[in-house]
Every structure is written in C-alpha cells, then in structure tokens.
Amino acid sequence: MLKNIQEKIGYLRETQLGSFIPVLLALIVIWIYFGIKEPVFLSPRNFYFLFMQSAVVGTLAVGVTLVLLMGDIDLSIATVAGVCAAIVAVLSTKMGVSAPIACLAGLGAGAVLGGIMGTIIAYFRIPSFVVTLAGLLGFQGLMMKILGIHGAINVRDPFIRGLTTTTLPDSIGLILAAIGIIIFGLAIWNNRRARNAKNLDNDLLYLSIIKFIFFSTLVITATLILNAYRGVPLTIIILLSLTGFLGWLTTSTSYGRAMFAVGGNLESARRVGISIEYMRISAFALVGFMAAVGGIIGASRYASVSFNAFAGGPLLLEAIGAAVIGGTSLFGGRGSVWNAILGALVIGSLGNGLDLAGARAADKLMFSGAILLIAVTLDAVTRGGASRK
Amino acid sequence: MNNNNINPLKNTSSEQTNPIHFSAQGIMKKFGGIDALNDVNFELRRGEVMGLVGDNGAGKTTLMKAISGAQLCDSGAFFIDGKEVKINSPHDASRKGIQIVYQDLALCENLDVTANLFLGNEIRYLDNLKIIPRALRPLNHLSMEEQTKAALRKLKVHTITSMRTKIAFLSGGQRQSIAIARATKSDSSIVLLDEPTAALGVSQTKEVLQLVKRLRETNHAVVLISHNLNNIFEVCDRITVMRQGENIGVFDTKNTTPDQIVSSITRGE
Ligand SMILES: Nc1ncnc2c1ncn2[C@@H]1O[C@H](COP(=O)(O)OP(=O)(O)OP(=O)(O)O)[C@@H](O)[C@H]1O
Ligand SMILES: [Mg+2]
C-alpha cells in the first residue's frame, strides 16, 4: 500500500508537469496562509520585494542545480558569490575600472574558481563535498583579504546599482510577457503537430491546454502585479534569461543528457564515452559563473559588499534548500533549473511572511528547517519508489 | 540471398552455413598467476547463435571483454571476414560492428527509453556547423524517438508503448530488450550477450530468448553466455564450452545432449 503510493508519487515526479506540482502547491499554501493572516503580504509592493529578495538565492539555486543533477554538490557557492562581488566592488570603486568591465572580471573569476574546484574533483577523484567545503573556508578568507580591514565596501556605481533598481516600463513588460506566452504556445503546438506527423504518442490534448493556460496565467498575473507597483525588474529578466539558457542546456543538448547520465549511472556514462572529467570541470565552472551573477545582483541590491551578506549568513543553505525544495534530487539524476526558482520563492515567501507576522529569527529558522526536511524526505521516499521496482 | 540461415530448422552440417565471420585466435590473458584465457580459439558465423558455457571463472566474461575491447588480452589475433583487425578499445570494437551487452545492463534509470538508446550518440540539429561545439548542438528529440520506436519494432518488442518512459519503471526483461536494442541499433554484425537472462523470471526470460532469435534472423552473429542449459539448447546453433581458461570444444546443438555438455563443463571431456 505504502509502496504503491510511493511509486505513484515517484511516477508523478518523473513527469515534467508533475515535478512542478509539489513545490507549486507549497508556494500556494504559503501565499494563502500569509495572505489571510497578513493581508499586506499579497500587496503588489510586497510581491515586488519578495521577487527581489529571492533573486540572489534563486540565482545560486539555479546554478547549484547543475552539479546536483550530476550527483555532486557545491558548498562554496555563497562564498564564491561573495568573492566575486568583492572583486567587482574593489575594481569599480577603488581601482577606477569601468563597472561593466569590473562585472565581466567578476563573472570570469567565478567561472575560474568553480573550474579549479571542478578540476580537483575530477582528476583527484575527491568527493565534491570535501573540495567545495575547503573552497568555502578558503574563499571566506580570500573575501576578507579583498574587502580589507573594514569588512565592507559600498557600491554606488549607477551601472551596478541599476541592475536591481531598473524596472521595465509597463508596456515593455507586457510585450515581453506576450512574446513569452506566444513562444511557449507555438512550441507546444508545433511539438504536438510534429509528433502526430511522425506517429509518436502525444500528451492528452487537455493536458497540453492546461499547461498552456497555466503558464500564460502565471506570466500575465506576475507581470500585472509587478506593473501595479514599479514594473518588471530588470533583475528578473536577467535571471529568467539565464535560467532559460540553462534549462535549454540541460534538457535539449547532448551536454545536458550527459549531466543526467552522470548523475543517474556514472559507470554507464563512462561506457558510452562521456568524459566525466570534462563534465565535472565545466559544470563547476558554470556554477561558479552563476554564483558570480548572484554576487553581483547581491552587491547591487544591498549597495554594498559585506562579509555577512554572503559568506556569514544563511545564503548557502537557502540556495541548496531552494534547489531541493524545487524537487532536484540530492542523489543526482533528477531535477530542473526552473524548479529551483520556485524553490527560492518558497524560501523567500516563508521568510517574508514570517517577517510580516513579526516572527523572530528563531521561528524563521525552524520553519525553514521543517520545509527543507519535508522536501528531502519526499526526495528520498520517491527515489525509493522508483528504483525498487 | 541468405534465405538458408533465416530458416531456424536448417541443418547444421557445415556446407549449408555461412562462412566464418569473426574469429579470435590464440587469445592469452593472465591475471597474476591465473590463466584466465589460455590459447583460446573462437569463431562466429553470421545468422548463428553461439552458446558460450562454462563454470564460474572459466573465462567467458574475460573472452567477451577481450573481443569488445573493454579489456585488452596479452596476445592473440582477431579476424573479421578473414582480415586481421586490431581491437584496442570499446570504440575500436564498435566501429568494427562488435557490440556487447553487459551483465549489469548499464542503462540510466533516470533517463527515458529514447535517451538511453542514443546516450553518447545523440542525433542533433546543426551537425554540420562545426563552430558550435558538438555538445551544444540542439537535440533532435523526435528523430531519436522515431528511430527508437523503429528499433524496438524491428526486434518485435511490443510491450514498451511509450518511448518516453523512464527505465526505472520498466521490468527486467524490458530493460534487457532496451540494452539489446541499443547494441544492435547501429550497423553491428556481432552482438555479445553476457548472461542476459540471469536475473529474470520465466516469462521475461522467454521474451529475451525470443529477442536472441530475432537477432539471428537479422543476420547478426550472436554470442549467448548462460548457466542455464535449457536456454542454451533452446536458442543456440552451436555451443562452445570453456573450462579453466581453455576452449574445450565446439558442439552442434542438434547432435549433442545436455548431459554431454555438462560432463564437458565439469570434466573437460
Ligand atoms: N579484473 C580481474 N582481475 C583479476 N582476476 C580476474 C579479473 N577478471 C577476471 N579474473 C579472473 O579470471 C578468471 C575468469 O573470470 P571470468 O569473469 O571471465 O569468468 P566467467 O566465466 O565469466 O565466470 P562467471 O560465470 O562467474 O561469470 C577468474 O578466475 C577470475 O577470478
Ligand atoms: Mg561472467
């Protein structure tokens, strides 16, 4: 009986829509609960801040999903974000480098740091857990060194600040939303037609329609709510574009296939000729890059780079928690970068709602812990259901 | 042109069979002090299933690994259609049409049927645009799915309806079918099956044996390793017996009894 249910949930989670459902339900429950308890929670203004607050965690969560897919983990993401943010801050405010170039340097640094850790993991066959833990410690030190004795640098550069303060005009936001919806709809329709033409089994028509309606409603509602306050933030567009690219990379290229194969059955991946070393190095470099993006967004949002905002706080655990809450397996081989964003929203909403409700830090931590525990348990249970058959 | 080997009731006397397609000669392999393979000769014909039997540790898997390039032998030579070939890696072997299905399957449970069939060898768009790295060219999902369907249909596997089913949800027999389909999808002429029925129940074993017969009909040279002599006698045309790293002899299934094979396995007669 229990096994049967496990199997059903396991099966559900393997489908594309099904993997969205648990995290989405969690999100809806949280929103309804806080919406009733603290009506302010559902105001456009609060939503705007909710999205912005979740942006840094979301970026890191999307990044770390890449290595989670391969059955690895990166514990250094928050500190890499910190180091890169510090590099950008020092270059642009102290050394007079123009801000865009400073940002590029920061992004490059992130990729290099990630790539170095990936190389060590790949060639010395050390578990990623250990190597990135060393990275976590080492980069904390590095960040302190870069920031100097004050431990914080203010960032007032208009370009960097603009990354999180700019919002799109209402009309542009709506046009982008419309374009997104049209592309999504055409993709579904095209795919259905091509499958029919080739005599391949199709999803039930009403499922495709539900998928489309669901997606359009989500996009339009979000756009309208954001427009009701300040408009769609540039940050969200950046994050969605990067996630879109990584989503395509993981699901629609040989590279992505190889990631899932490495996470699902390393030996099998090796036998078909996938270079495990190349996969590890490049994936960790990508994670480092995404960490750097998160670092720059953070620097822009807080208008400063401080040790506590990145390395000292809960950022690392929130990011990994977001990925797992989104349904990405810690055991490797299952997950999606899009779900990581939903996971980040769950964590963000929880924190935001509890703040509004006047909860203390202690309660917030315990709530977050409980949610994460539920997500991980669900992960372990459904994994058992799927592989025991 | 080769009607005579499609007929399963064919007379196994040598003048009606295909010429030798593959042969291994004088294969030696030592593991420390153990002679895992000692001067083994081995030959295969197309459209024929060769049973390979022997006690645990007789060297069956080692021989298969040598032929498939997974583990190099110390000395010996391989010939395909009379010409000597070098097999130094699995890649070499598969380029020459040799495919192996491992005892432990080696499928990715988290990927679907199509993805497993094409793993490491995907069909992509823009494949002639060399500036885009190979790994980043977009996958042609539908072509792959279509070909997967065709490959399974060719093997008469009808129990798998959706090519988008994850391997985790398939039975052992179905998984074995997919592993075999993967091995025979490309232009392979030789398929090595190492204990494909070891973990299967009665009906699933039957499914797989059916598949082995299909491979004979599609003019493959098939090697079937099994400890179950019933299975061996059901599908094999000839049987090679190995004992302590040596080839004891090759028997025509038609003119042999299981008892003879057993005594050959245990006493080397
Ligand atoms: N990698 C290895 N290192 C050392 N010894 C090995 C290795 N592989 C095989 N052997 C030895 O070589 C001999 C032949 O082994 P092999 O696996 O080929 O037997 P087998 O006929 O396949 O047996 P089984 O029916 O149990 O699968 C055995 O004595 C085995 O212990
Ligand atoms: Mg063996």
Side-chain angles (χ1 to χ4, degrees):
Chain A
M1 176 66 189
L2 180 68
K3 203 185 146 205
N4 207 339
I5 294 175
Q6 271 183 13
E7 234 164 61
K8 287 235 169 75
I9 300 178
Y11 192 77
L12 187 70
R13 292 205 106 185
E14 296 292 339
T15 66
Q16 196 195 15
L17 202 61
S19 72
F20 264 122
I21 289 176
V23 57
L24 205 69
L25 278 182
L27 199 56
I28 291 172
V29 169
I30 292 171
W31 284 2
I32 291 178
Y33 175 78
F34 285 117
I36 294 171
K37 219 167 161 244
E38 305 288 331
V40 186
F41 182 83
L42 292 180
S43 68
R45 179 177 183 280
N46 193 55
F47 260 105
Y48 179 91
F49 282 108
L50 183 60
F51 276 108
M52 293 306 292
Q53 271 169 8
S54 309
V56 178
V57 173
T59 314
L60 298 193
V62 166
V64 81
T65 298
L66 299 175
V67 284
L68 290 180
L69 284 181
M70 303 194 344
D72 282 318
I73 196 163
D74 190 340
L75 298 177
S76 71
I77 40 175
T79 36
V80 169
V83 168
C84 297
I87 289 174
V88 173
V90 168
L91 284 181
S92 65
T93 61
K94 301 232 163 113
M95 306 181 84
V97 177
S98 83
I101 291 179
C103 286
L104 284 182
L107 294 172
V112 168
L113 293 181
I116 291 174
M117 287 189 293
T119 308
I120 296 171
I121 293 163
Y123 284 104
F124 297 100
R125 311 258 166 107
I126 308 172
S128 52
F129 174 82
V130 182
V131 174
T132 56
L133 185 62
L136 165 85
L137 297 172
F139 298 149
Q140 280 186 348
L142 184 58
M143 189 180 178
M144 288 176 175
K145 274 218 157 86
I146 298 174
L147 286 177
I149 37 169
H150 303 298
I153 297 178
N154 288 334
V155 178
R156 296 212 188 74
D157 182 275
F159 173 82
I160 296 176
R161 288 287 287 139
L163 292 173
T164 53
T165 53
T166 310
T167 54
L168 304 181
D170 288 6
S171 54
I172 304 260
L174 281 173
I175 289 171
L176 283 182
I179 292 177
I181 289 172
I182 290 171
I183 290 178
F184 188 76
L186 279 181
I188 290 185
W189 191 62
N190 235 343
N191 189 37
R192 286 193 68 90
R193 237 187 23 169
R195 294 189 73 88
N196 271 340
K198 296 200 170 214
N199 225 342
L200 297 169
D201 61 311
N202 242 322
D203 290 333
L204 294 168
L205 180 62
Y206 81 90
L207 274 183
S208 297
I209 294 177
I210 289 180
K211 209 156 99 182
F212 176 71
I213 292 179
F214 176 80
F215 176 82
S216 337
T217 324
L218 204 73
V219 171
I220 292 185
T221 323
T223 313
L224 290 178
I225 292 177
L226 290 170
N227 275 355
Y229 184 58
R230 275 190 194 159
V232 178
L234 178 64
T235 318
I236 303 284
I237 302 292
I238 295 175
L239 178 53
L240 289 184
S241 315
L242 286 171
T243 309
F245 171 73
L246 293 176
W248 172 80
L249 187 72
T250 49
T251 58
S252 300
T253 65
S254 296
Y255 183 77
R257 275 288 156 78
M259 281 181 149
F260 278 89
V262 169
N265 185 344
L266 190 70
E267 199 40 47
S268 164
R270 206 190 303 276
R271 280 183 199 165
V272 299
I274 292 168
S275 161
I276 315 289
E277 288 81 16
Y278 168 77
M279 291 306 296
R280 288 231 164 94
I281 296 169
S282 56
F284 274 94
L286 275 174
V287 179
F289 176 86
M290 286 303 283
V293 173
I296 294 171
I297 293 177
S300 163
R301 213 180 117 61
Y302 312 131
S304 76
V305 177
S306 69
F307 184 77
N308 280 340
F310 292 98
L315 186 56
L316 164 69
L317 294 178
E318 285 187 354
I320 292 177
V324 174
I325 288 172
T328 293
S329 175
L330 284 173
F331 304 105
R334 188 186 69 213
S336 143
V337 288
W338 289 107
N339 291 23
I341 293 191
L342 289 180
L345 281 176
V346 166
I347 292 205
S349 307
L350 208 63
N352 178 297
L354 288 170
D355 275 342
L356 288 177
R360 270 164 305 188
D363 299 323
K364 276 173 66 177
L365 286 172
M366 286 166 68
F367 258 103
S368 304
I371 294 265
L372 184 58
L373 193 62
I374 292 171
V376 178
T377 311
L378 201 62
D379 177 23
V381 164
T382 53
R383 173 188 147 89
S387 60
R388 225 176 287 147
K389 180 159 180 185
Chain B
M1 87 187 205
N2 35 35
N3 266 342
N4 58 331
N5 17 289
I6 295 178
N7 181 359
L9 294 175
K10 71 172 185 226
N11 181 332
T12 44
S13 63
S14 52
E15 70 271 9
Q16 281 197 22
T17 50
N18 279 346
I20 307 286
H21 173 56
F22 171 88
S23 77
Q25 286 173 13
I27 307 296
M28 308 281 278
K29 177 77 187 177
K30 274 196 202 312
F31 288 113
I34 306 172
D35 278 324
L37 296 175
N38 187 8
D39 195 15
V40 172
N41 297 327
F42 187 65
E43 53 177 52
L44 300 171
R45 298 190 167 108
R46 295 193 98 170
E48 178 187 74
V49 181
M50 173 66 90
L52 184 55
V53 297
D55 227 334
N56 293 113
K60 306 181 294 292
T61 299
T62 308
L63 180 59
M64 292 304 105
K65 282 187 172 163
I67 296 175
S68 65
Q71 198 174 58
L72 301 190
C73 50
D74 302 334
S75 65
F78 302 105
F79 301 84
I80 290 181
D81 292 330
K83 263 195 274 170
E84 180 164 7
V85 291
K86 293 272 171 252
I87 301 175
N88 293 323
S89 70
H91 189 69
D92 274 355
S94 75
R95 245 194 336 215
K96 307 213 158 75
I98 302 171
Q99 294 283 343
I100 183 164
V101 176
Y102 284 97
Q103 228 158 339
D104 55 354
L105 290 178
L107 298 173
C108 287
E109 294 200 0
N110 60 324
L111 292 174
D112 66 14
V113 176
T114 308
N116 268 285
L117 229 70
F118 283 91
L119 193 59
N121 190 22
E122 288 87 1
I123 303 179
R124 292 171 287 246
Y125 294 110
L126 310 181
D127 247 356
N128 39 15
L129 246 127
K130 300 282 180 249
I131 26 166
I132 308 176
R134 189 185 304 231
L136 296 185
R137 296 175 201 151
L139 294 179
N140 186 341
H141 292 282
L142 295 189
S143 269
M144 288 193 275
E145 212 175 315
E146 217 180 5
Q147 291 192 22
T148 304
K149 240 178 120 174
L152 290 183
R153 199 181 317 121
K154 198 169 125 205
L155 292 176
K156 299 213 165 106
V157 177
H158 299 301
T159 56
I160 301 165
T161 46
S162 173
M163 303 304 124
R164 292 184 286 174
T165 315
K166 301 257 152 82
I167 299 299
F169 299 101
L170 297 181
S171 72
Q174 290 173 324
R175 291 176 196 210
Q176 203 50 259
S177 320
I178 289 164
I180 293 174
R182 171 157 89 185
T184 55
K185 166 179 65 72
S186 48
D187 300 326
S188 60
S189 62
I190 300 169
V191 185
L192 315 173
L193 304 169
D194 194 349
E195 303 197 38
T197 56
L200 303 182
V202 179
S203 67
Q204 299 194 357
T205 297
K206 232 174 133 172
E207 255 175 62
V208 171
L209 293 183
Q210 218 50 46
L211 219 57
V212 174
K213 290 181 192 165
R214 283 292 299 161
L215 293 179
R216 168 172 51 206
E217 288 166 30
T218 50
N219 208 26
H220 284 88
V222 186
V223 179
L224 174 67
I225 299 183
S226 175
H227 286 286
N228 184 327
L229 287 185
N230 288 336
N231 295 348
I232 292 284
F233 272 82
E234 189 181 334
V235 295
C236 296
D237 303 294
R238 293 193 297 162
I239 302 169
T240 298
V241 179
M242 288 190 70
R243 188 165 185 273
Q244 294 171 0
E246 295 187 20
N247 183 339
I248 296 298
V250 183
F251 300 79
D252 268 356
T253 312
K254 287 277 148 20
N255 313 324
T256 320
T257 62
D259 284 344
Q260 277 174 295
I261 300 289
V262 169
S263 70
S264 176
I265 290 172
T266 50
R267 291 192 295 275
E269 290 165 356

